[in-house]
Amino acid sequence: MSDLFPKGFLIGGAIAANQAEGAFDKDGKGLSTADIQPYLPGVDKKKLYFNNMDSNTFDEYINGDFYYPKRNAVHFYDRYKEYIDKLSEMDCQVLRLSVAWTRIFPNGDDDEPLEDGLKFYQDLFEYMKKKGIEPIVTINHYELPLKLVTKYGGWANHKLIDLFVKYSKVIINRYHDLVKYWIVINQINLVHLEAFASLGVIYDKVDNYEKVKYQAIHHQFVASATVTKFAHELDSTLKMGVMMADYTTYPMTPSPEDTELNFERNRMQYFFSDVLIRGKYPQYALNYFKANDIKLDILDSELTVINENTADFLCVSYYYSNVIDSKKDNMNPASVEPNPYINANEWGWGINPKGLYICLSQYWDRYQIPIMIGENGFGFNDVLTKDNKIHDEYRIDYTKKHLAAVLKAINNGANIFAYCSWAPFDIISAGTAEMDKRYGFIYVDYDNYGKGSGRLIEKDSFNWYKKTIDSRGSNLHE
Ligand code: BG6
């Protein structure tokens, strides 16, 4: 047992290209799905507007007169040195970030990659290394070249496997000396909450949406395993990860009905990591597909690739937990109830640090492969005071308790090698495309319309997090 994180445990942050970079049309970049997500003023913060996409909404988003926050984001593309410098001042040891597919292949199916895009990430990773920050790279984080939706129908199309593998090979080839840890696809299991962002499928254009989603996921499985194979053959020191958004639920009551439904729901969440870590489709999932008339096109050769190229580590994002009630909920992961025992933020995200300890321990017990926390953080509409301070004691409290939960899981035997806070500086929200949902230890002075000075201001949590990093968590017990 230790009060401190082990030596070598990495503490830092995580961001995604589409939520930070901006410069959506610079240096040849193509339009991505993220670039057509509008800011909707007066948005119901608890609703997901960019999830199940129908063709009318899609057309409206493409052609409408909206402000699109991710097109400018927080100008990380042009200002990355300032951001990295600030992270380095915080002694940040690791930054998980993603490559925008559209900077490398603007349409997704171009013949040749764009050198400007490749050069940008090369410079960025080199600069991070110079500043002592280890890059962990997500190959695909919720942004598909738009043409892959309009021309191919997103991941529902088998062709996406080859296109994604081609793009992945280019970037792994180019950066494998700089980047050791790779996460192939962001939150591969979240297809019922982030369906459009993950898969690029428009639901009224397909016959059986549920089936098509699982078919699209199968394509992502094959793509992940193929990329993993390539990476390992290129450089045996590379570590390839699968990423899960933890979506563990608890039963509303101890009734056998609530308990059974909860168990089956949670097992269908493990399905995604079971395939990519254990290397095969589990029987419970095959039974679920049969019972729900989900017939997938799967080639034997694809099952072989999946079986022979499993992930080296598991990346977990964790924000909240929910409960399910068998009288109201069913197997659809999107149907959940708030947990009456915990408080939630404005967006309805229930704060439960113990849930992080539980889920990490369960993943470890199930898979026994190294784990990293790829995202965890507290979104809040911070107030900038007249004297330019942000007193975010709520964020310190959230982070402290969640880090203590990680330490507890480590002390109980889990091999956890990194914690990346989402997001170390304020960026655009993925769910609601607001700037007001701020996660950072560093305040970024832009508003929901991209207006503002852009100044980077240390919040109270900045020095607290720096101390946590420097002391390997000695201040978690204060
Ligand atoms: C995760 C995503 O699901 O949640 C991130 O991987 C996202 O991209 C994060 O930003 C927090 O969600 P939101 O909607 O608060 O930005």
Side-chain angles (χ1 to χ4, degrees):
M1 294 287 277
S2 168
D3 280 352
L4 300 180
F5 286 108
K7 285 206 175 90
F9 181 78
L10 299 166
I11 306 182
I15 59 168
N18 71 85
Q19 293 167 258
E21 285 177 8
F24 77 106
D25 56 357
K26 209 163 171 182
D27 296 334
K29 181 186 174 297
L31 272 190
S32 79
T33 47
D35 294 322
I36 62 152
Q37 183 179 7
Y39 170 59
L40 301 168
V43 72
D44 174 349
K45 294 181 185 304
K46 292 183 185 161
K47 274 198 192 161
L48 294 165
Y49 288 86
F50 212 56
N51 181 17
N52 297 317
M53 180 71 74
D54 61 65
S55 18
N56 284 341
T57 312
F58 183 69
D59 290 345
E60 195 191 332
Y61 285 177
I62 288 194
N63 301 312
D65 186 18
F66 295 104
Y67 177 67
Y68 299 95
K70 292 177 179 175
R71 294 186 181 185
N72 302 313
V74 297
H75 304 277
F76 183 78
Y77 187 77
D78 294 312
R79 300 181 57 196
Y80 74 87
K81 285 192 179 164
E82 288 170 67
Y83 285 102
I84 298 298
D85 287 351
K86 209 72 193 144
L87 293 181
S88 155
E89 270 176 52
M90 200 170 63
D91 295 333
C92 190
Q93 297 165 327
V94 60
L95 180 65
R96 170 182 166 238
L97 73 185
S98 65
V99 171
W101 189 342
T102 46
R103 285 202 193 284
I104 312 301
F105 290 101
N107 299 295
D109 62 354
D110 316 73
D111 290 336
E112 296 300 325
L114 277 183
E115 180 52 30
D116 281 350
L118 288 168
K119 172 88 169 49
F120 167 69
Y121 292 106
Q122 172 109 27
D123 293 347
L124 169 61
F125 301 151
E126 281 172 359
Y127 194 69
M128 286 170 65
K129 288 281 208 192
K130 194 168 130 198
K131 293 282 172 171
I133 301 176
E134 179 73 26
I136 295 184
V137 170
T138 314
I139 299 177
N140 187 17
H141 190 131
Y142 289 169
E143 54 187 313
L144 212 50
L146 206 51
K147 189 172 169 197
L148 299 188
V149 176
T150 51
K151 181 173 169 193
Y152 297 88
W155 277 97
N157 192 327
H158 193 269
K159 185 92 175 78
L160 266 272
I161 300 174
D162 287 346
L163 295 172
F164 179 75
V165 169
K166 178 175 168 181
Y167 151 63
S168 304
K169 283 182 175 176
V170 167
I171 62 171
I172 294 172
N173 235 328
R174 177 84 172 226
Y175 309 125
H176 69 97
D177 286 337
L178 294 163
V179 179
K180 183 166 178 204
Y181 291 98
W182 297 82
I183 294 157
V184 184
I185 291 175
N186 186 54
Q187 303 186 148
I188 194 162
N189 63 315
L190 226 54
V191 288
H192 290 86
L193 289 131
E194 304 276 10
F196 182 69
S198 302
L199 305 173
V201 173
I202 294 178
Y203 75 79
D204 55 342
K205 293 216 164 162
V206 297
D207 281 343
N208 177 344
Y209 186 45
E210 191 65 3
K211 172 190 165 279
V212 168
K213 277 201 267 189
Y214 280 106
Q215 184 67 51
I217 280 296
H218 173 70
H219 296 153
Q220 291 196 340
F221 288 156
V222 179
S224 299
T226 310
V227 168
T228 298
K229 180 176 192 305
F230 170 79
H232 286 156
E233 285 170 1
L234 175 76
D235 180 342
S236 60
T237 67
L238 298 184
K239 302 288 178 205
M240 305 304 292
V242 51
M243 178 165 178
M244 297 281 286
D246 182 67
Y247 209 62
T248 315
T249 55
Y250 307 102
M252 181 67 98
T253 73
S255 78
E257 291 72 26
D258 282 2
T259 311
E260 183 184 49
L261 179 62
N262 185 60
F263 166 72
E264 294 197 334
R265 281 268 302 259
N266 284 336
R267 196 171 51 180
M268 269 314 277
Q269 286 300 307
Y270 283 130
F271 158 65
F272 302 83
S273 42
D274 277 0
V275 172
L276 288 175
I277 295 174
R278 292 175 163 170
K280 57 180 190 197
Y281 272 70
Q283 190 60 46
Y284 63 80
L286 298 175
N287 294 353
Y288 176 82
F289 295 150
K290 197 161 180 202
N292 290 282
D293 200 25
I294 294 172
K295 293 193 190 72
L296 303 181
D297 294 326
I298 298 180
L299 302 173
D300 284 347
S301 58
E302 294 173 340
L303 292 178
T304 306
V305 166
I306 289 172
N307 188 255
E308 290 176 353
N309 300 283
T310 52
D312 299 310
F313 70 93
L314 171 65
C315 176
V316 176
S317 63
Y318 178 85
Y319 290 91
Y320 51 73
S321 71
N322 289 303
V323 295
I324 58 167
D325 178 346
S326 57
K327 294 195 196 75
K328 296 185 192 157
D329 301 315
N330 49 35
M331 282 299 283
N332 180 353
S335 76
V336 287
E337 313 303 321
N339 185 336
Y341 291 92
I342 60 179
N343 295 321
N345 71 4
E346 247 184 286
W347 289 263
W349 294 22
I351 303 161
N352 177 17
K354 286 186 194 307
L356 180 56
Y357 161 64
I358 293 169
C359 80
L360 290 174
S361 306
Q362 285 176 337
Y363 287 120
W364 172 251
D365 292 347
R366 194 172 181 101
Y367 300 124
Q368 308 266 309
I369 63 170
I371 299 174
M372 65 171 279
I373 293 91
E375 291 180 31
N376 171 241
F378 189 64
F380 197 77
N381 191 356
D382 298 314
V383 176
L384 180 64
T385 61
K386 284 202 177 94
D387 57 347
N388 289 318
K389 305 265 190 262
I390 299 97
H391 301 302
D392 58 341
E393 65 292 338
Y394 37 85
R395 184 166 293 107
I396 295 175
D397 186 59
Y398 179 100
T399 313
K400 182 193 267 191
K401 287 181 178 148
H402 284 78
L403 273 166
V406 175
L407 187 56
K408 186 170 176 186
I410 293 174
N411 279 328
N412 277 289
N415 175 357
I416 303 174
F417 64 94
Y419 173 90
C420 299
S421 174
W422 187 271
F425 49 86
D426 299 339
I427 56 178
I428 306 293
S429 150
T432 47
E434 294 163 278
M435 190 64 199
D436 276 353
K437 192 176 185 188
R438 297 173 180 273
Y439 285 88
F441 305 117
I442 299 157
Y443 187 91
V444 182
D445 188 26
Y446 294 119
D447 67 13
N448 289 334
Y449 290 95
K451 300 223 163 40
S453 67
R455 269 180 318 156
L456 309 186
I457 304 167
E458 295 170 13
K459 303 182 192 178
D460 287 357
S461 55
F462 181 96
N463 278 321
W464 177 83
Y465 199 57
K466 180 180 166 86
K467 187 170 174 204
T468 306
I469 296 172
D470 294 347
S471 69
R472 289 194 282 121
S474 74
N475 59 350
L476 299 182
H477 318 287
E478 283 168 5

